[in-house]
Amino acid sequence: MSVTTTSTPLIIHEASQAYDNEILMTFEDLPADEFVGRMEMFKQTPTKQLDKDYQDGLINGINANLTQPIQLVPKKRYRLRLVHMGKAYWFKFRISHHKLSVIEADGTDTEPLEVDGVDLGPGQRYSVILTAQPTAKSNYIYNVTMYANFIVSKPGMNPRTYEGLVEYKKGAPIKSEPSSSDSLLKWPDDFDLVPADKQPLLPEPDHRIELKEGHHITGYGTPYYGLNGVLYATTNKVSTLFSAFSARSLAANSSIYGPQASAHVLRHLDVVEITLSFPTMREHVIHIHGHSFQIVERGPTVNNTAAFKTPIPMRKAQAWPMRRDSVTVRAYSYVKLRFRADNPGVWLLSEGVVTHFYKGLGITFIEAPDMLQQRQALPEELKQMCLKQGINVSGNAAGNQGLDLTGLPPAVYLDI
């Protein structure tokens, strides 16, 4: 099966570069059908386990087994841009007999960190420097593993493994490498990465937000996810962004956005610290739009399961915490993130695993709505486009004025 992707990354190149060439590699997990159809199927047949239907992996937009070789010239330095454009699975990437040096993660340049391979969750990006071998007497193999810990393991399905050729000379023999457990290899760790600009740890927060994952299994066996018992859903009659612009001083009152928006109002320039706790067996990638955050702490959650016997060790940030816009939160663990609210707008905290976000795992930040109203304006064309579809462009979540939410669909809450 040969498949061409419909996604493409946007690459912004630096004015100067300390390498000879660059290579782009994108990774995707391929569902059996289109996402819109899968979501409709989820509504109509809630027993369908959507996450278990992914069929294969794509590398550079085609079946991962058919990807063209990586072609290298001896002694040259290459920047590999590794971009995860998928929806549910993680990808591990490594090249036999080659070390990689991480120099960027999610758009933040880093001090070089030598690793054996890179582990990417949905939506994550890395750049690594690869120094080619001194001669072209051998070719090599790159290895890719596609996996997800919340999907039942099945040989050949989860995990899936792929191999490709690293070609120095056409027809040269392939140099073999003894098999090695991933646990014995070095992978990037956010607490080992240091941002190149060495921005110091932000001061003690002005605003703390604690979020705990909850889930609910319906009578049909379908899981829903939420944070602090709230299932995020786009049931509002007025866009949260439109409400923030039109509500004037009431825009600072989180209740006008309705319960399903799970809105948190942030004051301009406050230091915000978010604690995300996931006391379950699922791994997640958390993405915050509009900000790169500092990753300041992680550790194990308190849980009463006997099945999880290797809790993640606690780590705290060094003087210059890594900044990025996404973070993998492992099973039965928590993470603390810190950023300054210096970008007025309406921003999502969302789950990188698309079906988990669709099932309710997200919240909204209403950041400095007073500054937003002063500095920006919605395009008139956007308003007209909504009005032509019968969508209100002002008022609270229910399309009313003030705090009256009459007409808003009933809220859905979860046990946590």
Side-chain angles (χ1 to χ4, degrees):
M1 176 179 61
S2 178
V3 177
T4 301
T5 184
T6 57
S7 304
T8 187
L10 172 66
I11 306 297
I12 300 174
H13 294 274
E14 298 83 355
S16 60
Q17 56 190 45
Y19 48 88
D20 300 300
N21 208 340
E22 64 177 60
I23 297 168
L24 172 65
M25 297 195 72
T26 65
F27 305 92
E28 298 172 80
D29 42 336
L30 176 67
D33 49 16
E34 293 184 0
F35 181 76
V36 173
R38 290 164 65 77
M39 295 303 98
E40 288 303 315
M41 176 183 65
F42 170 73
K43 291 178 182 177
Q44 298 167 16
T45 314
T47 54
K48 190 72 172 178
Q49 297 298 303
L50 297 177
D51 291 328
K52 298 180 181 179
D53 288 340
Y54 288 92
Q55 298 298 303
D56 218 326
L58 304 181
I59 298 178
N60 289 344
I62 64 172
N63 185 297
N65 287 316
L66 304 176
T67 305
Q68 293 296 309
I70 299 173
Q71 295 182 322
L72 302 181
V73 175
K75 300 181 182 180
K76 297 289 186 181
R77 281 168 51 87
Y78 294 85
R79 177 176 185 157
L80 273 61
R81 297 184 185 266
L82 310 175
V83 181
H84 192 321
M85 304 193 304
K87 304 169 185 67
Y89 282 76
W90 275 247
F91 283 85
K92 286 184 175 180
F93 171 84
R94 60 182 299 264
I95 300 176
S96 67
H97 297 282
H98 292 73
K99 294 287 187 180
L100 307 175
S101 181
V102 177
I103 60 166
E104 172 264 329
D106 291 355
T108 299
D109 292 335
T110 70
E111 295 289 306
L113 176 69
E114 186 176 88
V115 295
D116 294 303
V118 174
D119 189 6
L120 302 98
Q124 294 191 309
R125 297 89 66 205
Y126 283 96
S127 289
V128 298
I129 293 295
L130 164 67
T131 301
Q133 298 286 357
T135 71
K137 65 181 180 181
S138 299
N139 292 328
Y140 302 87
I141 295 295
Y142 70 79
N143 305 96
V144 173
T145 301
M146 186 177 85
Y147 72 97
N149 86 319
F150 55 85
I151 297 174
V152 176
S153 297
K154 184 177 180 180
M157 298 293 287
N158 181 37
R160 283 181 179 267
T161 57
Y162 303 97
E163 291 185 347
L165 183 65
V166 179
E167 186 176 65
Y168 282 82
K169 182 179 179 182
K170 199 169 189 65
I174 296 174
K175 188 172 183 178
S176 61
E177 181 180 60
S179 60
S180 178
S181 169
D182 283 356
S183 63
L184 301 177
L185 302 175
K186 183 172 177 58
W187 307 89
D189 186 313
D190 292 327
F191 288 86
D192 294 331
L193 292 171
V194 176
D197 59 10
K198 294 187 175 178
Q199 289 189 19
L201 176 67
L202 286 168
E204 283 297 301
D206 305 294
H207 190 153
R208 284 184 168 89
I209 300 173
E210 295 191 0
L211 301 170
K212 180 182 178 183
E213 179 204 18
H215 71 284
H216 175 72
I217 307 297
T218 69
Y220 297 98
T222 301
Y224 284 88
Y225 309 108
L227 294 169
N228 290 358
V230 180
L231 184 144
Y232 177 86
T234 54
T235 55
N236 289 4
K237 294 184 177 181
V238 175
S239 160
T240 303
L241 181 62
F242 288 161
S243 294
F245 269 104
S246 64
R248 297 195 175 104
S249 61
L250 272 180
N253 188 324
S254 61
S255 65
I256 73 163
Y257 304 103
Q260 303 296 183
S262 191
H264 295 258
V265 178
L266 309 178
R267 294 183 307 184
H268 189 47
L269 298 181
D270 270 2
V271 174
V272 181
E273 183 174 275
I274 304 165
T275 301
L276 286 150
S277 179
F278 291 91
T280 68
M281 55 75 65
R282 287 175 297 277
E283 294 186 349
H284 297 278
V285 171
I286 297 301
H287 175 56
I288 297 181
H289 301 239
H291 287 279
S292 289
F293 47 76
Q294 295 181 339
I295 305 172
V296 300
E297 185 178 320
R298 72 158 182 241
T301 57
V302 177
N303 62 83
N304 56 6
T305 178
F308 198 74
K309 298 180 180 171
T310 54
I312 190 168
M314 177 181 284
R315 292 198 66 177
K316 293 189 176 183
Q318 21 73 15
W320 309 293
M322 183 56 193
R323 297 190 319 277
R324 55 190 309 174
D325 60 31
S326 67
V327 61
T328 290
V329 188
R330 299 298 182 185
Y332 299 104
S333 74
Y334 73 88
V335 65
K336 290 187 177 183
L337 314 174
R338 198 175 288 185
F339 66 90
R340 189 176 293 280
D342 56 4
N343 190 14
V346 174
W347 306 111
L348 277 175
L349 178 152
S350 62
E351 159 68 271
V353 178
V354 176
T355 50
H356 290 178
F357 176 58
Y358 180 83
K359 294 176 184 180
L361 212 161
I363 67 169
T364 313
F365 293 123
I366 315 297
E367 183 172 336
D370 52 341
M371 303 300 294
L372 178 67
Q373 294 170 12
Q374 292 174 27
R375 296 180 178 180
Q376 300 185 46
L378 289 170
E380 189 61 32
E381 296 84 356
L382 176 60
K383 295 180 182 179
Q384 291 303 317
M385 182 174 64
C386 293
L387 290 171
K388 287 178 181 178
Q389 300 176 73
I391 301 172
N392 291 337
V393 297
S394 65
N396 60 30
N400 303 324
Q401 298 304 310
L403 303 178
D404 177 16
L405 295 177
T406 303
L408 198 64
V412 178
Y413 296 97
L414 306 178
D415 296 326
I416 59 173

